[in-house]
Amino acid sequence: MSSDLRRVYEAILGVSLNPQNFQRRIRDIKGFVVPTHELKDGRQGRPAELFRRGPAQIFDSPMLRPRQRQRA
């Protein structure tokens, strides 16, 4: 579910995100994504659960842009 979406957020933010924390935050937003009850076959390990866009129209961003460090 979240690996494709996480890659989009990482590209926008320009940083790597923790996959487990990202997935938890996405799932915690009521109506942001809903399960399709389908699985995506992976190369290794357990198949990924698939999700689709939920009915939520407005939500707070699940990720904040990291602060830029001040250069000396």
Side-chain angles (χ1 to χ4, degrees):
M1 174 263 315
S2 62
S3 62
D4 294 336
L5 183 59
R6 180 176 41 84
R7 286 186 199 113
V8 170
Y9 269 87
E10 288 176 337
I12 291 168
L13 298 173
V15 297
S16 294
L17 300 172
N18 180 287
Q20 291 81 14
N21 288 342
F22 182 80
Q23 183 175 28
R24 179 178 36 83
R25 292 186 78 174
I26 290 297
R27 286 184 176 196
D28 285 349
I29 301 170
K30 185 176 180 179
F32 185 62
V33 295
V34 293
T36 63
H37 304 291
E38 297 177 21
L39 300 175
K40 178 181 179 181
D41 290 332
R43 293 185 189 137
Q44 296 177 330
R46 164 176 97 194
E49 184 179 1
L50 298 177
F51 290 77
R52 66 174 174 79
R53 179 179 169 251
Q57 297 294 316
I58 299 173
F59 63 93
D60 291 328
S61 175
M63 298 290 147
L64 298 176
R65 188 177 299 266
R67 289 187 190 184
Q68 297 295 322
R69 292 184 180 172
Q70 297 293 328
R71 295 184 185 194

